[in-house]
Amino acid sequence: MTSVSDPISEIEDAAMRELAVISDATQLEAWRLSYLGRKGKLTRILRGLADLPLEQRRSLGAEANRIKLRLETAHREKLARFEQDRVAQVTEGERLDVTLPGPPLPRGGLHPITRTLQDVLRVFESMGFQVAEGPEIEWDYYNFEALRIPADHPARDMWDTLWIDCEREGRRSMLLRTHTSPNQIRIMERTQPPIRVVVPGKCYRFEATDPTHEWMMTQVEGLAIDDGISMADLKGTLAEFARRIFGEERKVAFRCDYFPFVEPGMELRIDCFICRGAGCRTCGRTGWIEILGAGMVHPEIIANAGYDPDRYTGFAFGLGIERIALLRHGVDDIRHFYANDLRFLQQF
Ligand code: FA5
């Protein structure tokens, strides 16, 4: 405890000794408070001067002020040195070495669905099919009516539809296309046989998702119309497609199916890559994953297009790109494709 009677030079010596070993700004501030702060040792001496006789007050006052000045100067200098060291440290750490290579730029890639779509289209192009496009927002007429699915037809339940509210404009009903089949009608409206076309595009369905169902998916519609096209042409085309995309060893099965716009109708299934036919969660315990619907174009649709139904026949198919990507890459859930998780997408 220091008092006014302590030899003032002892305070000076102690302060300078302590200051010499201080190594950071926090200690320095504590030191300043202990000597020069409001309750500091030197401050208290200066305050106590008033109680001393004049003679003593003069000499002690002069000495105390000299020490105060010295301590303040020493404090300022030390603080400046710490600041210099800090700046030097920061600039040293941030110094640029222009010879170092820059940080690698992340490289983007095509989405696995885009790649699969490109591969699928390439296979059909090599078989003589042309690629066309159609609108995603579609009239009820093309999506349903012209495909022999009138309003109230029970087959509409096969496609849970996202409708667009456009009654206010007094227009016919519009929807987000549920499949790419409307393009069969659109192409027949503007083209004469022979026709060999594939139409890729996004489709939308108001349905619950599961490992093989998304509410948005990509289909490729195929349409071939010519003199004397038969079911054998359809099966041959699809078998060749499956062989080119999945390889020889995959099991492929055709099964009867119903679509109002084809007769007869069928589906193509591939053996499940996970359970190899035994049944699992991904294939819904069936052992198979359906990748497309197909069939011979209904004669009524051929006639409605203005083609001679006695001369022309054709086949059509609609395949699901996400299911094909799932089977090719061994992905166990279709929903991974659109979850936008880079850890998943970077694997392709
Ligand atoms: C149709 O959409 C018919 N337009 C296909 C067709 C075209 C039949 C021409 C006859 C002639 P389907 O609803 O089964 O059929 O869908 C066809 C394929 O799309 C399915 O095999 C499947 O691969 C894919 N698909 C259908 N729904 C979904 C879904 N919710 N999520 C992912 N893929 C789907």
Side-chain angles (χ1 to χ4, degrees):
M1 185 76 183
T2 316
S3 77
V4 177
S5 57
D6 281 347
I8 196 162
S9 60
E10 272 179 26
I11 295 183
E12 181 181 9
D13 290 346
M16 294 310 285
R17 254 197 327 274
E18 284 172 31
L19 186 66
V21 293
I22 281 176
S23 59
D24 67 42
T26 317
Q27 290 172 358
L28 183 63
E29 178 60 4
W31 177 89
R32 187 188 69 76
L33 290 173
S34 107
Y35 288 98
L36 300 167
R38 267 194 318 126
K39 293 181 182 164
K41 295 170 188 166
L42 199 59
T43 315
R44 267 188 283 135
I45 287 179
L46 285 164
R47 283 213 189 108
L49 288 176
D51 305 331
L52 296 178
L54 182 63
E55 201 49 34
Q56 214 181 335
R57 195 189 317 162
R58 261 204 202 125
S59 63
L60 195 60
E63 182 62 356
N65 275 325
R66 181 192 65 73
I67 295 173
K68 182 171 182 246
L69 201 65
R70 186 175 176 213
L71 297 192
E72 281 174 349
T73 308
H75 172 264
R76 228 184 358 262
E77 284 171 5
K78 190 114 184 169
L79 195 63
R81 213 161 37 247
F82 285 159
E83 182 58 14
Q84 271 171 12
D85 290 351
R86 194 187 65 79
V87 171
Q89 235 172 24
V90 171
T91 41
E92 181 65 23
E94 285 179 358
R95 186 180 296 164
L96 281 183
D97 179 350
V98 290
T99 63
L100 284 175
L105 289 175
R107 275 179 54 195
L110 289 178
H111 192 278
I113 297 303
T114 307
R115 284 179 193 225
T116 306
L117 177 61
Q118 287 179 344
D119 293 345
V120 166
L121 292 179
R122 220 170 284 132
V123 169
F124 284 113
E125 280 176 296
S126 75
M127 290 194 235
F129 286 78
Q130 288 184 322
V131 180
E133 281 190 3
E136 282 182 32
I137 296 177
E138 193 48 284
W139 298 113
D140 179 323
Y141 173 76
Y142 288 106
N143 198 83
F144 290 128
E145 274 175 48
L147 289 167
R148 304 184 69 253
I149 316 169
D152 304 324
H153 190 290
R156 287 207 178 198
D157 292 345
M158 291 165 74
W159 296 278
D160 294 310
T161 309
L162 288 154
W163 293 94
I164 292 173
D165 179 10
C166 53
E167 300 241 316
R168 263 171 295 140
E169 293 157 41
R171 308 179 79 170
R172 290 173 298 160
S173 301
M174 295 192 93
L175 44 84
L176 295 183
R177 69 177 170 201
T178 57
H179 51 177
T180 43
S181 295
N183 293 295
Q184 293 182 28
I185 308 297
R186 288 184 173 276
I187 286 163
M188 287 189 228
E189 273 180 352
R190 59 174 194 249
T191 323
Q192 287 300 310
I195 296 173
R196 271 175 193 72
V197 178
V198 278
V199 189
K202 292 261 178 281
C203 304
Y204 304 85
R205 294 189 186 179
F206 185 57
E207 62 179 293
T209 64
D210 66 24
T212 52
H213 290 85
E214 255 293 5
W215 63 270
M216 177 189 79
M217 39 103 186
T218 317
Q219 285 193 345
V220 171
E221 193 75 10
L223 178 68
I225 297 185
D226 206 346
D227 247 333
I229 284 196
S230 72
M231 191 81 174
D233 296 312
L234 172 58
K235 281 187 75 176
T237 305
L238 294 180
E240 173 63 7
F241 158 75
R243 192 185 64 77
R244 301 258 292 271
I245 290 290
F246 297 109
E248 299 280 1
E249 68 286 356
R250 294 306 284 268
K251 276 197 233 150
V252 174
F254 291 100
R255 230 170 61 138
C256 288
D257 203 352
Y258 168 72
F259 300 97
F261 35 96
V262 290
E263 183 56 40
M266 64 185 201
E267 64 170 35
L268 177 66
R269 313 200 293 176
I270 310 284
D271 65 323
C272 175
F273 64 95
I274 294 180
C275 62
R276 290 283 162 186
C280 68
R281 171 181 164 271
T282 299
C283 62
R285 323 252 162 243
T286 61
W288 297 93
I289 294 181
E290 178 208 317
I291 61 157
L292 62 85
M296 299 303 292
V297 179
H298 199 286
E300 213 172 279
I301 291 181
I302 300 261
N304 287 347
Y307 305 156
D308 178 357
D310 293 328
R311 179 176 172 196
Y312 290 113
T313 48
F315 65 71
F317 57 83
L319 54 86
I321 295 296
E322 284 77 8
R323 299 248 182 112
I324 292 171
L326 187 110
L327 284 158
R328 285 180 101 197
H329 298 296
V331 175
D332 66 351
D333 197 313
I334 204 170
R335 291 167 289 196
H336 291 312
F337 288 120
Y338 297 117
N340 282 338
D341 186 337
L342 281 181
R343 289 169 305 177
F344 171 78
L345 294 173
Q346 275 165 349
Q347 296 175 54
F348 296 92

